[in-house]
Amino acid sequence: MSLLRRKTAAPADRTVTLIGKPGCHLCDEAREVVVSVCAETGAGWEEKDITRDEELYRLYWEQIPVVLVDGEQHDFWRVDPERLRRALRS
């Protein structure tokens, strides 16, 4: 009998997406956390601007900055670096 185990991706295989907009001071703070944690863990990251994407605007305009890990919402407004590290290592 085999046991099913949840496959855990290595941090280098993970992608963090920061969704924000220009001129947003919380987005600037979130970017600093994302850049730092991704550099430390080896995770990749990307940034998307809600002013250039109607669907992202509709979904997230009240929550920016929003951080996704592998496409799933992880955080919004304030990004806790330790929580992000844990998510990337899980």
Side-chain angles (χ1 to χ4, degrees), residues 1-87:
M1 172 187 241
S2 68
L3 296 176
L4 295 178
R5 292 187 180 153
R6 180 176 170 246
K7 183 178 178 190
T8 303
D13 297 328
R14 313 296 297 271
T15 301
V16 176
T17 304
L18 173 62
I19 301 170
K21 69 177 185 174
C24 167
H25 74 279
L26 289 177
C27 299
D28 294 339
E29 292 173 14
R31 184 179 309 105
E32 288 178 19
V33 172
V34 168
V35 168
S36 175
V37 170
C38 287
E40 175 188 321
T41 62
W45 77 280
E46 63 184 354
E47 189 166 359
K48 296 188 177 183
D49 180 349
I50 66 165
T51 67
R52 297 179 178 266
D53 186 313
E54 289 181 31
E55 181 67 9
L56 290 177
Y57 184 87
R58 185 184 66 74
L59 290 170
Y60 300 118
W61 73 273
E62 290 182 320
Q63 296 179 345
I64 63 165
V66 174
V67 173
L68 310 178
V69 174
D70 298 332
E72 298 290 324
Q73 187 167 344
H74 169 75
D75 240 333
F76 63 96
W77 295 335
R78 302 269 183 202
V79 183
D80 180 302
E82 188 53 40
R83 185 168 178 265
L84 183 55
R85 278 185 204 95
R86 283 192 309 268

